[in-house]
Amino acid sequence: MKKLTMALFACALAAGALADEAADLKKNVQSAMDQASKAMMKKDMAGAEKILRQYFAKDFKNTDLHGKTTTLEQWLGEMKAQMPMVKSIDKMNLKCVSVKVHGDHAVCQESMEMVMTMPNPQDPKKTSQARQVSTSESHMEKRHGKWWVVSSKDKTSRMWFDGKEMKM
């Protein structure tokens, strides 16, 4: 009976440690998201890239809704290429919804809302507003004591242009 009690106590401690690690990891992920959002709101892609490189593994892979995968370098390049087309980022809300830790692996559920002002495609003298809302799931690994985002998969994405939803 004593061995069973000790085993249950050890399991409870391990579960508590994982819960604490998940809470700490969620807090750290949210902090990084907040920092990256602030940089992007200023259209400071160099600053945003510097922040992202601190958390994303060099072998990171992103998978979009259509199954297309990109590397970290491709993903950052796409973001940098799109930024000159944006006049301003009016809202950038990145949220770490949940984190589940399993040893040296973790899964993070995220949401994003971004509102941008950009030139109107039909009349460049006018501006239009684009709004995107999406969810994703990222997988993280602890490597040499540090958590790294190793992959991310888009789950949902909706886009509105001047209030009209566009099919993606």
Side-chain angles (χ1 to χ4, degrees), residues 7 10 17 23 30 38 41 47 49 54-55 58 64 78 82 92 137 139 151 161:
Q30 188 61 57
K38 286 178 186 174
M41 291 276 299
E49 179 178 359
Q54 293 176 36
Y55 298 96
K58 289 181 181 180
D64 71 12
E78 287 173 4
Q82 293 169 353
M92 183 74 168
E137 177 179 281
H139 290 261
S151 67
F161 199 73

Side-chain angles (χ1 to χ4, degrees), residues 7 26 35 37-39 42 44 51 53 58 65 77-78 83 85 88 96 106 110 129 146 151:
K26 182 178 179 187
Q35 291 172 37
S37 291
K38 286 178 186 174
K42 295 176 190 173
D44 176 10
I51 293 162
R53 286 190 184 276
K58 289 181 181 180
L65 287 173
E78 287 173 4
M83 195 54 69
M85 295 182 274
S88 66
C96 178
E110 305 119 354
Q129 188 179 70
K146 181 174 174 12
S151 67

Side-chain angles (χ1 to χ4, degrees), residues 32-159:
M33 288 177 153
D34 292 345
Q35 291 172 37
S37 291
K38 286 178 186 174
M40 291 183 76
M41 291 276 299
K42 295 176 190 173
K43 291 183 57 173
D44 176 10
M45 281 311 297
E49 179 178 359
K50 184 177 179 182
I51 293 162
L52 294 172
R53 286 190 184 276
Q54 293 176 36
Y55 298 96
F56 285 75
K58 289 181 181 180
D59 60 344
F60 169 80
K61 297 279 187 227
N62 184 67
T63 306
D64 71 12
L65 287 173
H66 308 291
K68 178 186 170 205
T69 61
T70 53
T71 65
L72 178 62
E73 298 306 320
Q74 291 167 328
W75 182 61
L76 291 171
E78 287 173 4
M79 285 196 303
K80 285 189 241 179
Q82 293 169 353
M83 195 54 69
M85 295 182 274
V86 176
K87 286 192 172 277
S88 66
I89 298 177
D90 308 311
K91 181 178 185 176
M92 183 74 168
N93 185 12
L94 298 171
K95 183 163 175 60
C96 178
V97 177
S98 69
V99 173
K100 292 182 182 170
V101 174
H102 307 282
D104 286 346
H105 297 275
V107 177
C108 181
Q109 303 295 327
E110 305 119 354
S111 67
M112 188 268 305
E113 179 182 16
M114 182 166 57
V115 178
M116 304 168 281
T117 300
M118 23 196 343
N120 182 294
Q122 283 80 35
D123 185 355
K125 293 177 185 175
K126 294 182 180 180
T127 59
S128 292
Q129 188 179 70
R131 177 176 177 250
Q132 182 178 6
V133 176
S134 62
T135 60
S136 58
E137 177 179 281
S138 293
H139 290 261
M140 303 175 78
E141 287 181 8
K142 190 183 252 187
R143 298 177 179 173
H144 307 290
K146 181 174 174 12
W147 284 103
W148 293 95
V149 181
V150 295
S151 67
S152 187
K153 181 170 177 35
D154 295 340
K155 296 293 199 177
T156 64
S157 186
R158 295 177 71 190
M159 183 83 153

